[in-house]
Amino acid sequence: MRLKCNAKKHLCRKIAAALLLVLPCALPAYADDIQIMVNGQPLNSDVAPIIRDSRVLLPIRACAEALDAAVNYEPGTGQITILRGDDTVLLTLNSTEAVINEQTRQLDVVPQVINSRTLAPLRFVGEALNCQVNWQSETQTVTIQTNSQTEAESYEPVTVPAVETIVNQALQQLNSIRLQKQLDTLISAEELNRLAAEHSRDMAENGFLSNISPTLGSIGHRAAAENLPTPSEIIAKIDYRQANVYQAVTAWFSNEETRRLLLDPSAGYIGLSAHYLPDSTEVYLTAEIMPSHAYFTDLPDNSTVHIAGMALRGRSQNIPETVTVYKVSDINPQMYSSKQTYTAAGDGVYFFTNIEFAEPGTYVLQVGSCMVRVKYIPGA
């Protein structure tokens, strides 16, 4: 599937001056009367703003996402992470201490959960997300406005981060969201990183955005050339004049198909890479997701072997690992006539074992949920 990130708001890196909103005590506003406008559009949220100690508290996720920021929440610690551009904002439920790009700030009112939604003070929203925030008492309206792209570009040119930075940011965001869903984090795998790097470079150098390369073929073909099972592949093209990797990953999670791949409970490994040409702001991003906690590496370069055994190698998060070899039935190819299991030792990352084929025919090799077929034909 193809995915292109087309966010149109420029992401400023500087933190705006703190904007304090104090409501007149003589004319208190009720939460249901307050309207929030973000860049001229009403904010859609299932929780209304509230007033605490003469401060307006806004629903932080709805507000941040309306400003093209990503929000991650850790239920165990109560920590909220807001990612926007190169900025990272950390808050903790019921704590007055917040951190913006490693600088500690104090809040007037603590973030708190109301009706299962986290709310934070308006002053902090304006400070952390680099917006202009105003209170219109006559209409009981909060207006939040991002700096225009033209204004921001007049102060600072666009600088594309290093590839390593882009990859680390993407992996951090992916794993943060998986942890929120109580899923295991994805582990970076060298061979998958190579696959991702090859495809990102191919797309950048040849100017296409597709899972099928005009020169190298599909992901299945490219993985087979590296003697690997076929992973799931997700791609994005990011123009850093308009967007960044956080928005691309957020778009992945907003898409039903890519969200399913990224939140696959059985997935254990990932390859991530980015590539852009010199003096270009367009970045091509590739993620290779292996839908198993174990898989084979260094498979034979075709599906046929001519000796009655082979050496197997692979990655696993559980070593020693169990490898199962099924003999496919000659009568019904959907069934097996025999199976044998092998215990594979390893070095903490890779496992190794030797297997034997008792007779000619087709065999299915399985480790974890990864399965490959091999045909044994004696001789030649």
Side-chain angles (χ1 to χ4, degrees):
M1 103 150 249
R2 64 179 62 183
L3 174 64
K4 184 172 181 179
C5 186
N6 289 320
K8 295 185 178 179
K9 299 181 179 70
H10 184 77
L11 304 177
C12 306
R13 294 189 177 92
K14 298 180 180 178
I15 301 300
L19 297 173
L20 176 62
L21 176 67
V22 181
L23 298 180
C25 296
L27 295 172
Y30 296 97
D32 289 340
D33 296 331
I34 300 175
Q35 183 179 23
I36 305 172
M37 303 292 292
V38 178
N39 290 327
Q41 299 296 321
L43 178 67
N44 294 319
S45 175
D46 53 1
V47 175
I50 66 169
I51 299 171
R52 288 288 187 271
D53 300 327
S54 298
R55 303 292 189 268
V56 172
L57 275 68
L58 301 177
I60 190 63
R61 180 178 293 277
C63 184
E65 290 182 349
L67 294 165
D68 294 320
V71 180
N72 299 323
Y73 173 61
E74 296 286 350
T77 63
Q79 187 175 79
I80 305 130
T81 304
I82 305 173
L83 305 171
R84 187 172 188 261
D86 291 333
D87 296 325
T88 300
V89 181
L90 302 176
L91 305 94
T92 304
L93 288 181
N94 303 315
S95 172
T96 58
E97 187 173 282
V99 179
I100 303 176
N101 295 331
E102 302 183 353
Q103 295 184 4
T104 301
R105 304 293 177 90
Q106 295 297 318
L107 304 178
D108 294 325
V109 183
V110 299
Q112 49 200 272
V113 175
I114 305 293
N115 295 331
S116 301
R117 296 292 183 268
T118 304
L119 283 78
L122 176 60
R123 172 190 177 187
F124 185 78
V125 173
E127 181 178 38
L129 299 183
N130 192 22
C131 301
Q132 296 180 2
V133 181
N134 293 296
W135 166 249
Q136 298 173 358
S137 58
E138 297 83 0
T139 59
Q140 303 290 295
T141 301
V142 176
T143 61
I144 305 173
Q145 187 72 38
T146 56
N147 291 333
S148 69
Q149 180 174 341
T150 301
E151 179 185 4
E153 288 180 347
S154 66
Y155 289 104
E156 185 177 3
V158 174
T159 301
V160 180
V163 166
E164 293 79 6
T165 300
I166 295 173
V167 169
N168 289 337
Q169 289 174 342
L171 184 58
Q172 178 188 23
Q173 186 177 354
L174 290 173
N175 279 334
S176 178
I177 295 175
R178 282 183 66 92
L179 284 173
Q180 288 181 42
K181 305 298 182 182
Q182 299 182 339
L183 299 173
D184 292 337
T185 57
L186 297 173
I187 298 174
S188 178
E190 180 182 357
E191 55 272 8
L192 297 180
N193 286 334
R194 289 197 302 268
L195 269 183
E198 177 185 56
H199 194 58
S200 291
R201 182 174 55 253
D202 188 20
M203 289 191 296
E205 292 179 350
N206 292 291
F208 70 95
L209 184 68
S210 173
N211 297 105
I212 300 177
S213 166
T215 54
L216 302 176
S218 67
I219 177 56
H221 183 80
R222 287 179 272 124
E226 297 292 331
N227 301 331
L228 292 171
T230 302
S232 302
E233 183 175 80
I234 308 173
I235 59 176
K237 180 181 177 182
I238 313 159
D239 190 335
Y240 264 77
R241 293 172 300 181
Q242 301 172 332
N244 64 18
V245 68
Y246 292 120
Q247 291 174 295
V249 174
T250 299
W252 281 347
F253 279 104
S254 299
N255 178 275
E256 183 177 354
E257 181 178 352
T258 52
R259 178 182 177 86
R260 176 183 58 80
L261 296 174
L262 294 170
L263 297 182
D264 182 356
S266 65
Y269 293 94
I270 187 171
L272 269 171
S273 186
H275 195 87
Y276 54 90
L277 301 179
D279 300 322
S280 174
T281 61
E282 293 184 343
V283 177
Y284 291 81
L285 181 69
T286 303
E288 311 286 5
I289 314 293
M290 189 62 74
S292 176
H293 282 75
Y295 63 93
F296 297 108
T297 62
D298 302 328
L299 292 171
D301 57 5
N302 58 62
S303 60
T304 302
V305 296
H306 301 291
I307 57 176
M310 61 186 300
L312 292 180
R313 179 176 183 266
R315 272 191 188 266
S316 176
Q317 298 179 24
N318 301 296
I319 294 177
E321 182 58 85
T322 298
V323 176
T324 306
V325 179
Y326 299 90
K327 171 67 170 62
V328 177
S329 170
D330 295 330
I331 301 174
N332 185 346
Q334 303 303 316
M335 301 182 67
Y336 64 90
S337 57
S338 64
K339 78 172 183 177
Q340 189 170 358
T341 59
Y342 299 81
T343 298
D347 59 7
V349 177
Y350 293 96
F351 64 83
F352 314 89
T353 190
N354 293 313
I355 64 172
E356 296 180 353
F357 301 125
E359 57 181 319
T362 300
Y363 291 81
V364 173
L365 318 180
Q366 179 175 5
V367 60
S369 58
C370 175
M371 293 187 290
V372 296
R373 285 178 175 261
V374 173
K375 181 176 290 187
Y376 166 45
I377 301 176

